[in-house]
Amino acid sequence: MDGLVEFKTEDGVRVVVEGVEDEDGARLVSRGDGPARAASTFEDSLDGVRAAAASALRVFRDGSLRPDAVELEFGVKLSAEAGAVIAKGSAEGHLVVRLSWSPEPSPTRPESPDAAALS
């Protein structure tokens, strides 16, 4: 199991998460009996993930596809030094994108059988 990392929120609330092991196999070691303390707040640690999500949303909302809904799923690991890291979920990385479009109702036919029965 990786070491524990303690983050503080901007409101001062303590958030403890399981830390990540870096690629060299080095482990995060806490000082004393508690978890290692993160260098930034929990919110600051997530800034990079928020920026990545905003960028991905711009890519999928703009252009020719124009989906009605875009759903992004990032795997996120937290590190005391690096903050939030987009986690590797497979051999290459982890980002799931779901695009959806709502069917357009026909103007000459009711949207559902129930709507026709109520008219």
Side-chain angles (χ1 to χ4, degrees):
M1 178 169 118
D2 291 330
L4 298 178
V5 179
E6 178 183 314
F7 289 87
K8 294 279 187 176
T9 66
E10 291 174 353
D11 297 333
V13 177
R14 180 178 174 236
V15 178
V16 178
V17 298
E18 186 177 355
V20 298
E21 183 177 318
D22 69 17
E23 293 178 9
D24 298 335
R27 290 189 170 282
L28 182 63
V29 178
S30 66
R31 295 183 185 126
D33 295 332
R37 288 197 173 85
S40 61
T41 66
F42 187 69
E43 292 86 352
D44 288 342
S45 296
L46 293 172
D47 279 343
V49 176
R50 179 182 19 219
S55 179
L57 283 173
R58 276 193 303 276
V59 168
F60 292 110
R61 284 184 175 159
D62 296 342
S64 61
L65 292 177
R66 304 260 185 222
D68 293 325
V70 177
E71 182 180 326
L72 301 172
E73 178 183 318
F74 290 91
V76 177
K77 291 185 179 182
L78 296 165
S79 160
E81 295 84 15
V85 178
I86 296 174
K88 186 189 303 188
S90 66
E92 296 300 319
H94 183 82
L95 170 63
V96 175
V97 179
R98 289 181 186 85
L99 306 176
S100 63
W101 292 264
S102 299
E104 293 184 30
S106 170
T108 59
R109 127 183 106 132
E111 291 183 30
S112 69
D114 293 336
L118 294 174
S119 319

PDB file of all heavy atoms in Angstrom, residues 1 19 25 28 46 60-61 65 78 82 86 88-89 96 98 100 104 113 115 117:
ATOM      1  N   MET A   1       0.849  -1.189   0.000  1.00  0.00           N
ATOM      2  CA  MET A   1       0.000   0.000   0.000  1.00  0.00           C
ATOM      3  C   MET A   1       0.884   1.239   0.000  1.00  0.00           C
ATOM      4  O   MET A   1       1.887   1.302   0.684  1.00  0.00           O
ATOM      5  CB  MET A   1      -0.887  -0.011   1.232  1.00  0.00           C
ATOM      6  CG  MET A   1      -1.773   1.202   1.338  1.00  0.00           C
ATOM      7  SD  MET A   1      -2.996   0.979   2.633  1.00  0.00           S
ATOM      8  CE  MET A   1      -2.553   2.286   3.708  1.00  0.00           C
ATOM      9  N   GLY A  19      -1.456   7.929  -1.093  1.00  0.00           N
ATOM     10  CA  GLY A  19      -0.515   8.561  -2.010  1.00  0.00           C
ATOM     11  C   GLY A  19      -0.106   7.629  -3.127  1.00  0.00           C
ATOM     12  O   GLY A  19      -0.347   6.431  -3.091  1.00  0.00           O
ATOM     13  N   GLY A  25       9.685   3.376  -8.139  1.00  0.00           N
ATOM     14  CA  GLY A  25       9.392   2.495  -7.022  1.00  0.00           C
ATOM     15  C   GLY A  25       9.644   3.154  -5.678  1.00  0.00           C
ATOM     16  O   GLY A  25       9.486   2.536  -4.639  1.00  0.00           O
ATOM     17  N   LEU A  28       6.557   7.410  -0.773  1.00  0.00           N
ATOM     18  CA  LEU A  28       6.428   8.588   0.052  1.00  0.00           C
ATOM     19  C   LEU A  28       6.500   8.165   1.511  1.00  0.00           C
ATOM     20  O   LEU A  28       5.804   7.249   1.926  1.00  0.00           O
ATOM     21  CB  LEU A  28       5.090   9.261  -0.248  1.00  0.00           C
ATOM     22  CG  LEU A  28       4.782  10.546   0.474  1.00  0.00           C
ATOM     23  CD1 LEU A  28       5.790  11.615   0.093  1.00  0.00           C
ATOM     24  CD2 LEU A  28       3.389  10.999   0.112  1.00  0.00           C
ATOM     25  N   LEU A  46      -5.860  20.151  -7.400  1.00  0.00           N
ATOM     26  CA  LEU A  46      -6.763  19.742  -8.480  1.00  0.00           C
ATOM     27  C   LEU A  46      -6.807  20.732  -9.648  1.00  0.00           C
ATOM     28  O   LEU A  46      -7.482  20.475 -10.644  1.00  0.00           O
ATOM     29  CB  LEU A  46      -8.172  19.536  -7.919  1.00  0.00           C
ATOM     30  CG  LEU A  46      -8.304  18.365  -6.956  1.00  0.00           C
ATOM     31  CD1 LEU A  46      -9.680  18.369  -6.296  1.00  0.00           C
ATOM     32  CD2 LEU A  46      -8.058  17.043  -7.662  1.00  0.00           C
ATOM     33  N   PHE A  60     -14.385  18.866 -27.394  1.00  0.00           N
ATOM     34  CA  PHE A  60     -15.536  18.061 -27.772  1.00  0.00           C
ATOM     35  C   PHE A  60     -16.807  18.868 -27.982  1.00  0.00           C
ATOM     36  O   PHE A  60     -17.702  18.436 -28.702  1.00  0.00           O
ATOM     37  CB  PHE A  60     -15.768  16.949 -26.748  1.00  0.00           C
ATOM     38  CG  PHE A  60     -14.677  15.921 -26.780  1.00  0.00           C
ATOM     39  CD1 PHE A  60     -13.770  15.816 -25.741  1.00  0.00           C
ATOM     40  CD2 PHE A  60     -14.531  15.086 -27.868  1.00  0.00           C
ATOM     41  CE1 PHE A  60     -12.750  14.877 -25.782  1.00  0.00           C
ATOM     42  CE2 PHE A  60     -13.510  14.154 -27.923  1.00  0.00           C
ATOM     43  CZ  PHE A  60     -12.621  14.044 -26.877  1.00  0.00           C
ATOM     44  N   ARG A  61     -16.913  20.053 -27.389  1.00  0.00           N
ATOM     45  CA  ARG A  61     -18.108  20.878 -27.590  1.00  0.00           C
ATOM     46  C   ARG A  61     -18.027  21.699 -28.870  1.00  0.00           C
ATOM     47  O   ARG A  61     -19.045  22.041 -29.458  1.00  0.00           O
ATOM     48  CB  ARG A  61     -18.314  21.819 -26.399  1.00  0.00           C
ATOM     49  CG  ARG A  61     -18.858  21.111 -25.191  1.00  0.00           C
ATOM     50  CD  ARG A  61     -19.127  22.089 -24.090  1.00  0.00           C
ATOM     51  NE  ARG A  61     -19.771  21.426 -22.965  1.00  0.00           N
ATOM     52  CZ  ARG A  61     -19.767  21.902 -21.748  1.00  0.00           C
ATOM     53  NH1 ARG A  61     -19.171  23.047 -21.477  1.00  0.00           N
ATOM     54  NH2 ARG A  61     -20.372  21.239 -20.784  1.00  0.00           N
ATOM     55  N   LEU A  65     -19.138  18.043 -34.271  1.00  0.00           N
ATOM     56  CA  LEU A  65     -19.927  17.041 -33.553  1.00  0.00           C
ATOM     57  C   LEU A  65     -21.105  17.644 -32.792  1.00  0.00           C
ATOM     58  O   LEU A  65     -22.193  17.112 -32.808  1.00  0.00           O
ATOM     59  CB  LEU A  65     -19.042  16.259 -32.577  1.00  0.00           C
ATOM     60  CG  LEU A  65     -18.013  15.347 -33.206  1.00  0.00           C
ATOM     61  CD1 LEU A  65     -17.156  14.700 -32.125  1.00  0.00           C
ATOM     62  CD2 LEU A  65     -18.689  14.281 -34.043  1.00  0.00           C
ATOM     63  N   LEU A  78      -3.345  11.345  -6.165  1.00  0.00           N
ATOM     64  CA  LEU A  78      -2.852  12.520  -5.454  1.00  0.00           C
ATOM     65  C   LEU A  78      -1.478  12.243  -4.875  1.00  0.00           C
ATOM     66  O   LEU A  78      -1.224  11.169  -4.337  1.00  0.00           O
ATOM     67  CB  LEU A  78      -3.831  12.907  -4.346  1.00  0.00           C
ATOM     68  CG  LEU A  78      -5.203  13.337  -4.865  1.00  0.00           C
ATOM     69  CD1 LEU A  78      -6.212  13.356  -3.745  1.00  0.00           C
ATOM     70  CD2 LEU A  78      -5.108  14.691  -5.524  1.00  0.00           C
ATOM     71  N   ALA A  82       3.442  16.480  -6.162  1.00  0.00           N
ATOM     72  CA  ALA A  82       2.913  16.838  -7.477  1.00  0.00           C
ATOM     73  C   ALA A  82       1.452  17.265  -7.452  1.00  0.00           C
ATOM     74  O   ALA A  82       0.958  17.777  -8.438  1.00  0.00           O
ATOM     75  CB  ALA A  82       3.082  15.669  -8.439  1.00  0.00           C
ATOM     76  N   ILE A  86      -3.224  12.841 -13.375  1.00  0.00           N
ATOM     77  CA  ILE A  86      -4.161  12.002 -14.110  1.00  0.00           C
ATOM     78  C   ILE A  86      -3.569  10.611 -14.158  1.00  0.00           C
ATOM     79  O   ILE A  86      -2.458  10.404 -14.625  1.00  0.00           O
ATOM     80  CB  ILE A  86      -4.434  12.567 -15.517  1.00  0.00           C
ATOM     81  CG1 ILE A  86      -5.117  13.930 -15.383  1.00  0.00           C
ATOM     82  CG2 ILE A  86      -5.303  11.601 -16.318  1.00  0.00           C
ATOM     83  CD1 ILE A  86      -5.320  14.654 -16.679  1.00  0.00           C
ATOM     84  N   LYS A  88      -2.860   6.561 -14.690  1.00  0.00           N
ATOM     85  CA  LYS A  88      -2.821   5.588 -15.768  1.00  0.00           C
ATOM     86  C   LYS A  88      -3.833   4.500 -15.436  1.00  0.00           C
ATOM     87  O   LYS A  88      -3.747   3.845 -14.424  1.00  0.00           O
ATOM     88  CB  LYS A  88      -1.423   4.988 -15.883  1.00  0.00           C
ATOM     89  CG  LYS A  88      -1.272   4.073 -17.089  1.00  0.00           C
ATOM     90  CD  LYS A  88       0.022   3.309 -17.092  1.00  0.00           C
ATOM     91  CE  LYS A  88       1.246   4.157 -17.045  1.00  0.00           C
ATOM     92  NZ  LYS A  88       2.477   3.363 -17.231  1.00  0.00           N
ATOM     93  N   GLY A  89      -4.832   4.325 -16.306  1.00  0.00           N
ATOM     94  CA  GLY A  89      -5.861   3.328 -16.062  1.00  0.00           C
ATOM     95  C   GLY A  89      -5.712   2.121 -16.957  1.00  0.00           C
ATOM     96  O   GLY A  89      -6.387   1.129 -16.807  1.00  0.00           O
ATOM     97  N   VAL A  96     -11.854   8.724 -20.127  1.00  0.00           N
ATOM     98  CA  VAL A  96     -13.039   8.174 -20.777  1.00  0.00           C
ATOM     99  C   VAL A  96     -13.894   9.357 -21.195  1.00  0.00           C
ATOM    100  O   VAL A  96     -14.148  10.260 -20.405  1.00  0.00           O
ATOM    101  CB  VAL A  96     -13.831   7.249 -19.813  1.00  0.00           C
ATOM    102  CG1 VAL A  96     -15.123   6.771 -20.462  1.00  0.00           C
ATOM    103  CG2 VAL A  96     -12.964   6.086 -19.380  1.00  0.00           C
ATOM    104  N   ARG A  98     -17.594  10.373 -23.049  1.00  0.00           N
ATOM    105  CA  ARG A  98     -18.894   9.932 -23.540  1.00  0.00           C
ATOM    106  C   ARG A  98     -19.602  11.146 -24.147  1.00  0.00           C
ATOM    107  O   ARG A  98     -19.754  12.171 -23.481  1.00  0.00           O
ATOM    108  CB  ARG A  98     -19.746   9.362 -22.406  1.00  0.00           C
ATOM    109  CG  ARG A  98     -19.249   8.038 -21.895  1.00  0.00           C
ATOM    110  CD  ARG A  98     -20.151   7.498 -20.781  1.00  0.00           C
ATOM    111  NE  ARG A  98     -19.590   6.302 -20.204  1.00  0.00           N
ATOM    112  CZ  ARG A  98     -18.683   6.277 -19.232  1.00  0.00           C
ATOM    113  NH1 ARG A  98     -18.247   7.403 -18.723  1.00  0.00           N
ATOM    114  NH2 ARG A  98     -18.211   5.139 -18.770  1.00  0.00           N
ATOM    115  N   SER A 100     -23.172  12.381 -26.129  1.00  0.00           N
ATOM    116  CA  SER A 100     -24.531  11.923 -26.383  1.00  0.00           C
ATOM    117  C   SER A 100     -25.328  13.017 -27.074  1.00  0.00           C
ATOM    118  O   SER A 100     -25.072  14.204 -26.900  1.00  0.00           O
ATOM    119  CB  SER A 100     -25.222  11.475 -25.094  1.00  0.00           C
ATOM    120  OG  SER A 100     -25.359  12.556 -24.201  1.00  0.00           O
ATOM    121  N   GLU A 104     -34.158  14.346 -31.963  1.00  0.00           N
ATOM    122  CA  GLU A 104     -35.008  15.515 -32.176  1.00  0.00           C
ATOM    123  C   GLU A 104     -36.420  15.045 -32.497  1.00  0.00           C
ATOM    124  O   GLU A 104     -36.607  14.204 -33.374  1.00  0.00           O
ATOM    125  CB  GLU A 104     -34.469  16.360 -33.323  1.00  0.00           C
ATOM    126  CG  GLU A 104     -33.141  16.994 -32.999  1.00  0.00           C
ATOM    127  CD  GLU A 104     -32.666  17.895 -34.111  1.00  0.00           C
ATOM    128  OE1 GLU A 104     -33.505  18.471 -34.815  1.00  0.00           O
ATOM    129  OE2 GLU A 104     -31.446  18.013 -34.246  1.00  0.00           O
ATOM    130  N   PRO A 113     -46.270   8.069 -27.626  1.00  0.00           N
ATOM    131  CA  PRO A 113     -47.654   7.601 -27.741  1.00  0.00           C
ATOM    132  C   PRO A 113     -48.560   8.205 -26.682  1.00  0.00           C
ATOM    133  O   PRO A 113     -49.715   8.472 -26.921  1.00  0.00           O
ATOM    134  CB  PRO A 113     -47.546   6.085 -27.575  1.00  0.00           C
ATOM    135  CG  PRO A 113     -46.127   5.766 -27.858  1.00  0.00           C
ATOM    136  CD  PRO A 113     -45.341   6.980 -27.513  1.00  0.00           C
ATOM    137  N   ALA A 115     -48.413  11.198 -25.439  1.00  0.00           N
ATOM    138  CA  ALA A 115     -48.756  12.561 -25.820  1.00  0.00           C
ATOM    139  C   ALA A 115     -49.911  12.566 -26.817  1.00  0.00           C
ATOM    140  O   ALA A 115     -50.781  13.418 -26.767  1.00  0.00           O
ATOM    141  CB  ALA A 115     -47.533  13.263 -26.409  1.00  0.00           C
ATOM    142  N   ALA A 117     -52.278  10.295 -27.009  1.00  0.00           N
ATOM    143  CA  ALA A 117     -53.499   9.900 -26.296  1.00  0.00           C
ATOM    144  C   ALA A 117     -54.095  11.064 -25.501  1.00  0.00           C
ATOM    145  O   ALA A 117     -55.296  11.101 -25.294  1.00  0.00           O
ATOM    146  CB  ALA A 117     -53.175   8.723 -25.364  1.00  0.00           C
TER     147      ALA A 117
END
